[in-house]
Amino acid sequence: MRRVSSDRIIALAMLTPSVIAIAIFVYGFIGFTGFSSFTNWNSLVPDFSTVGWRNYERLFSAIPTDRFLLDLRNTVSFTILFLIACIVLGFLLAVLLDQRVKGEGIFRSIFLFPMAISFIVTGVVWRWLLNPGTVQTGSSGVNLLFEKIGLGFLRWGWFTDPTIWHIKPDTGLGQFLVGIGLDGIASPYFGVPVAIFSLVIAATWQMSGYTMAMFLAGLRGIPEELREAARVDGANEIQIYRHVIIPLLQPITLSAVIVLGHISLKIFDLVVSMTGPGPAFATDVPAFFMWDTTFRGNNFAQGAAIATILLVSVAVLIVPYLINTMRTEAEL
Amino acid sequence: MSRNMRWAIVLCLALIILSIVIACAPAPTPAPTAAPPTAAPKPVARGKLEMFSWWTAGGEADGLNAMYDIYKKTYPTVDIVNATVAGGAGTNAKAVLATRLSGGDPPDSFQLHAGLEVESYAPDKYLQPLDALYTSEGLDKAFPKDLLTLLKYQDHYWGMPVNIHRANVLWYNKKIFTDNNLQPPKTWDEFYKVADTLKAKNIVPLVIGTKEGWEAGHTFETVLIASLGADGYRGLWTGKTQWTDPKVTQALETYKKVMTYVNTDHSALTWDAAAQYLVDGKGAMHIMGDWTDGWFTSKKFTGYGWAPAPGTTGVFDALSDSFAATKGAKNQDNLMNWLKLAGSKAGQEAFNPKKGSICARTDCDPKLFNEYLQSAMKDWSSNAIVPSVAHGAAAVEKWATVYKDILNSFATKGDVAAAQKSLQQVCVDNKMCK
């Protein structure tokens, strides 16, 4: 016998509006953007004739402009550096705070506060701090500080430095790559623009406190008995962290990677306020290019193609994690 | 499991409903075509005039208000509404404008760069041609001929230019030049000599800020003019000159060499932050449009001089702001009165001294303008006028955007062959070159 309880009906009635709203405003528009990316809508007048993959092909070709290829390089460099910096720094801070120091609450707040600031503010402040000054007129910001305390050799161009670190084709490794037909890897497209370090510094300053909070919660969740047991077995402190604590923190690390990873793939506000596209697009990112091409160039289909690529890249990161989480919950 | 199934069904249903809604959504209906608010044009104009201009601060806002004042005196019963979104050189406002135009709810008039930028607003669909107004107001005689050619797109006039700015101006710090016994360079060869002297004295020879992405393209277009001459440069945008021309190569080489004389922090600076070097006496020269004049004035800096950018004497690299009339404007009569005012001598004389630009007309009274602007007015009526690409006059927006991207890359990479190939390709993409 099927009986629909009134509870059920109320629950359904409560949920329906938000389900519909999400269906339209999230999934509907995702679908529309995806559809637009295959159209010829590259002016103010909507033109929904389909052009296949042409918008995508244009993004991935180097002539007339290789901006998107450089953006991909920048995003990958930024994501990797930002993740490593945040997780290492966040973990170290958490371990230090976990030593039951006096005034722990104050330190915790200090490390967490940057999180409360928006990326726009962070960007503006770090732009001032890292503005290098010029050779002719003297240093400014952090460079000036280095100069005053006798560390002048540390001065450099920060986010104005156009250098790209990459494997040079004339080195041993470069020649080996050319030899096996992978000469593409020995090019600036597979390099790390040094200007991106400035962005990484600013973003890490903002997000490492958050990572610390996650790790601290994780560390507090590890029962003292486990450490005791390890000590009884004769492990020293480093061994305890290496073999007991870090493995136990693995779910936290994964969460941190997911949260930070999707922030870094979508990063936009920090770049706008801090560096702009940078010298030869050394600090340009896909989100910035999407905004530029859509609202300055009126290339709506082209912008939609970039948005779609961004969505897919974030989905590749997040969907397996969500599936995994759901499966674990179902098992419980 | 059954529970999950049920939710899945609910979700599916929602999606189906959604797709039906989208499929059935009515196409954006065009606004009721020009239903005039008053039955017949009576002597007293009433109602509103909805403007869309991102001149909301500084001299440009003052100038616009001066024009509004004249309008309000003539038509006291008309209410002027400015529906703009402030900030970002109009980028934010343009996004909103695009939505309103395509959604069939246009403001009466909006601001755009005169020239081919109009293409990105799909004029045959969204704008009214203003040819009749040009004839009835005698504007085809009041504007210089070169400007009229530049204003035409698809054989019609689409905007009412209110002002003219010059892009190819070399600004310099007078004190630095007299102290070092130098003359502002007339050619790029002279520039190198002057720059070497200054470099030896630890002064930045040429300052530039490339943070916003258009400045490199702005400087390069003056180099292009120097290398190709006025006709050759104009031809680049109409397909008469090919971008593969050796003179373009030469321009790229010159530009590359020039970039070795600039401040090293240029990618961190906007144009005005770069101009600050001149104010502080740390930099000697700056190639920038003549809004710099107004900026210097606002900084109370008087020790500056000007000359045409090297190699461009006798050429006026122009850009102009204009007002367009939208199709389906709700206040047609008020709109036409506004455009008449914007094109008139009185309107332009009220607007331009405040904005720090010169009149598009050639008959404005020079006494109203400062010394720099007077010299610009002289050149405006005698020089060859060419359109600026960095500011929307020379090429359609799509082309100009990629042009700026290429130049931004080139400013640091300096790969002449690649840049030239790319410039030719974008010309081909826009169906001007073969």
Side-chain angles (χ1 to χ4, degrees), chain A residues 3-14, chain B residues 3 6-7:
Chain A
R3 206 173 58 92
V4 185
S5 70
S6 64
D7 253 15
R8 255 290 153 75
I9 293 173
I10 291 172
L12 209 61
M14 292 294 208
Chain B
R3 201 166 171 191
R6 213 165 288 163
W7 282 115

Side-chain angles (χ1 to χ4, degrees), chain B residues 185-196:
Chain B
K186 289 208 169 54
T187 63
W188 284 109
D189 285 331
E190 281 179 43
F191 171 86
Y192 300 140
K193 275 185 212 134
V194 171
D196 283 331

Side-chain angles (χ1 to χ4, degrees), chain A residues 8 24 44-45 64 134 162 280, chain B residues 6 18 98 122 265 277 398 412 422:
Chain A
R8 255 290 153 75
I24 294 175
L44 207 55
V45 188
T134 56
Chain B
R6 213 165 288 163
L18 164 79
D265 62 346
Y277 275 96
K398 255 180 271 172
T412 354
S422 298

Side-chain angles (χ1 to χ4, degrees), chain A residues 8 15 23-24 42 44-45 58 63-64 66-67 133-135 137 159-160 162 277 279-281 291 295-296 298-299, chain B residues 6-7 18 91 95 98 120-122 125 264-265 267-268 277 282 397-398 405-406 408-409 412-413 422 425 429:
Chain A
R8 255 290 153 75
L15 276 172
I24 294 175
N42 281 322
L44 207 55
V45 188
R58 278 186 64 97
I63 301 281
D66 54 2
R67 189 168 171 183
T134 56
V135 183
T137 61
F159 55 88
T160 65
F281 300 117
W291 173 76
F295 295 114
R296 275 197 191 156
N298 281 337
N299 293 313
Chain B
R6 213 165 288 163
W7 282 115
L18 164 79
T91 315
S120 64
Y121 290 104
K125 202 161 173 199
T264 45
D265 62 346
S267 61
Y277 275 96
K282 290 174 177 169
E397 191 78 357
K398 255 180 271 172
D405 282 359
I406 295 169
N408 190 16
S409 277
T412 354
K413 277 192 205 149
S422 298
Q425 181 61 40
D429 285 351

Side-chain angles (χ1 to χ4, degrees), chain A residues 128-152:
Chain A
W128 291 338
L129 287 175
L130 298 184
N131 196 338
T134 56
V135 183
Q136 298 96 332
T137 61
S139 313
S140 67
V142 173
N143 277 356
L144 187 64
L145 182 73
F146 283 153
E147 208 173 270
K148 294 274 182 205
I149 59 174
L151 295 172

Side-chain angles (χ1 to χ4, degrees), chain B residues 145-337:
Chain B
K145 232 180 95 204
D146 282 353
L147 175 66
L148 291 169
T149 330
L150 197 154
L151 285 170
K152 265 196 177 162
Y153 173 69
Q154 293 181 343
D155 270 336
H156 291 293
Y157 300 116
W158 300 98
M160 182 62 70
V162 287
N163 69 347
I164 298 293
H165 275 297
R166 187 178 194 175
N168 60 330
V169 188
L170 177 79
W171 305 93
Y172 60 92
N173 182 309
K174 268 189 189 161
K175 188 164 177 294
I176 294 177
F177 272 73
T178 43
D179 285 357
N180 296 292
N181 216 358
L182 294 169
Q183 292 295 318
K186 289 208 169 54
T187 63
W188 284 109
D189 285 331
E190 281 179 43
F191 171 86
Y192 300 140
K193 275 185 212 134
V194 171
D196 283 331
T197 317
L198 292 167
K199 213 174 180 179
K201 302 242 160 118
N202 260 339
I203 296 165
V204 187
L206 185 73
V207 298
I208 182 172
T210 56
K211 178 163 188 285
E212 283 174 3
W214 55 267
E215 303 92 335
H218 178 119
T219 312
F220 182 62
E221 76 182 44
T222 69
V223 180
L224 272 178
I225 297 170
S227 176
L228 289 142
D231 282 333
Y233 170 80
R234 275 192 210 119
L236 286 173
W237 311 107
T238 56
K240 275 189 200 131
T241 317
Q242 293 294 305
W243 285 87
T244 45
D245 196 290
K247 282 179 180 162
V248 176
T249 324
Q250 189 200 324
L252 285 163
E253 294 285 2
T254 306
Y255 184 64
K256 189 175 167 183
K257 188 164 174 195
V258 169
M259 286 305 282
T260 60
Y261 290 101
V262 303
N263 46 316
T264 45
D265 62 346
H266 58 86
S267 61
L269 302 181
T270 51
W271 72 267
D272 49 332
Q276 184 67 37
Y277 275 96
L278 255 70
V279 177
D280 297 342
K282 290 174 177 169
M285 294 176 272
H286 190 199
I287 291 177
M288 190 32 67
D290 56 11
W291 43 91
T292 313
D293 180 61
W295 187 82
F296 281 145
T297 314
S298 74
K299 290 269 155 188
K300 311 244 181 310
F301 176 61
T302 49
Y304 63 95
W306 58 86
T312 64
T313 313
V315 184
F316 195 110
D317 184 13
L319 58 126
S320 161
D321 295 294
S322 70
F323 284 98
T326 56
K327 221 174 239 179
K330 291 174 208 83
N331 311 291
Q332 182 68 15
D333 297 337
N334 296 345
L335 168 62
M336 285 301 141
N337 288 337

Side-chain angles (χ1 to χ4, degrees), chain A:
Chain A
M1 185 185 113
R2 288 170 55 93
R3 206 173 58 92
V4 185
S5 70
S6 64
D7 253 15
R8 255 290 153 75
I9 293 173
I10 291 172
L12 209 61
M14 292 294 208
L15 276 172
T16 313
S18 62
V19 168
I20 291 177
I22 289 175
I24 294 175
F25 292 109
V26 177
Y27 296 98
F29 286 141
I30 286 176
F32 183 62
T33 305
F35 166 71
S36 304
S37 70
F38 292 101
T39 66
N40 197 22
W41 186 13
N42 281 322
S43 69
L44 207 55
V45 188
D47 174 357
F48 292 121
S49 55
T50 48
V51 293
W53 293 91
R54 204 178 69 198
N55 290 313
Y56 292 90
E57 279 162 16
R58 278 186 64 97
L59 285 178
F60 286 99
S61 72
I63 301 281
T65 163
D66 54 2
R67 189 168 171 183
F68 189 70
L69 299 175
L70 300 177
D71 289 354
L72 288 181
R73 172 199 71 193
N74 298 344
T75 304
V76 171
S77 312
F78 178 76
T79 306
I80 293 172
L81 292 169
F82 172 63
L83 281 179
I84 293 174
C86 262
I87 287 174
V88 170
L89 200 65
F91 178 71
L92 288 179
L93 287 175
V95 169
L96 291 178
L97 275 187
D98 194 38
Q99 309 304 313
R100 318 271 166 196
V101 283
K102 230 181 186 174
E104 185 199 313
I106 297 173
F107 284 113
R108 210 171 43 210
S109 306
I110 288 176
F111 294 139
L112 256 178
F113 268 144
M115 249 267 293
I117 301 172
S118 85
F119 266 130
I120 294 284
V121 180
T122 311
V124 171
V125 172
W126 279 97
R127 185 177 77 217
W128 291 338
L129 287 175
L130 298 184
N131 196 338
T134 56
V135 183
Q136 298 96 332
T137 61
S139 313
S140 67
V142 173
N143 277 356
L144 187 64
L145 182 73
F146 283 153
E147 208 173 270
K148 294 274 182 205
I149 59 174
L151 295 172
F153 60 91
L154 282 176
R155 280 176 305 175
W156 64 296
W158 299 107
F159 55 88
T160 65
D161 191 328
T163 319
I164 312 289
W165 286 345
H166 66 97
I167 304 166
K168 304 271 183 326
D170 49 4
T171 56
L173 183 57
Q175 268 165 359
F176 171 72
L177 286 169
V178 173
I180 58 168
L182 288 174
D183 43 338
I185 294 185
S187 78
Y189 289 117
F190 281 85
V192 178
V194 298
I196 218 101
F197 286 116
S198 304
L199 280 178
V200 172
I201 291 172
T204 307
W205 176 81
Q206 174 137 6
M207 295 309 294
S208 58
Y210 172 69
T211 326
M212 172 211 74
M214 289 173 86
F215 277 122
L216 193 58
L219 285 170
R220 292 283 152 83
I222 295 171
E224 192 58 32
E225 290 79 27
L226 286 178
R227 296 179 193 234
E228 291 292 328
R231 280 194 196 105
V232 169
D233 284 348
N236 62 27
E237 281 304 307
I238 293 178
Q239 279 171 327
I240 292 178
Y241 276 102
R242 169 75 187 78
H243 297 290
V244 179
I245 307 231
I246 293 181
L248 280 172
L249 286 176
Q250 195 220 345
I252 306 269
T253 315
L254 188 63
S255 305
V257 167
I258 301 293
V259 172
L260 298 173
H262 92 270
I263 289 176
S264 95
L265 287 176
K266 294 187 301 191
I267 194 124
F268 171 76
D269 30 12
L270 184 69
V271 178
V272 174
S273 60
M274 187 166 161
T275 62
F281 300 117
T283 59
D284 200 39
V285 288
F288 191 87
F289 184 29
M290 173 182 81
W291 173 76
D292 223 21
T293 196
T294 313
F295 295 114
R296 275 197 191 156
N298 281 337
N299 293 313
F300 292 95
Q302 189 88 56
I306 302 173
T308 309
I309 292 173
L310 266 181
L311 177 78
V312 170
S313 65
V314 175
V316 164
L317 183 73
I318 285 190
V319 169
Y321 173 72
L322 288 181
I323 291 174
N324 189 34
T325 323
M326 280 180 190
R327 201 173 285 156
T328 329
E329 272 170 12
E331 277 165 15
L332 288 175

Side-chain angles (χ1 to χ4, degrees), chain B residues 353-380:
Chain B
K354 292 210 165 94
K355 158 90 166 128
S357 48
I358 62 169
C359 300
R361 305 172 68 101
T362 46
D363 59 355
C364 281
D365 182 3
K367 275 185 230 125
L368 295 167
F369 294 84
N370 71 15
E371 200 191 336
Y372 163 72
L373 291 173
Q374 287 185 16
S375 81
M377 285 169 86
K378 231 180 9 216
D379 290 347
W380 174 241

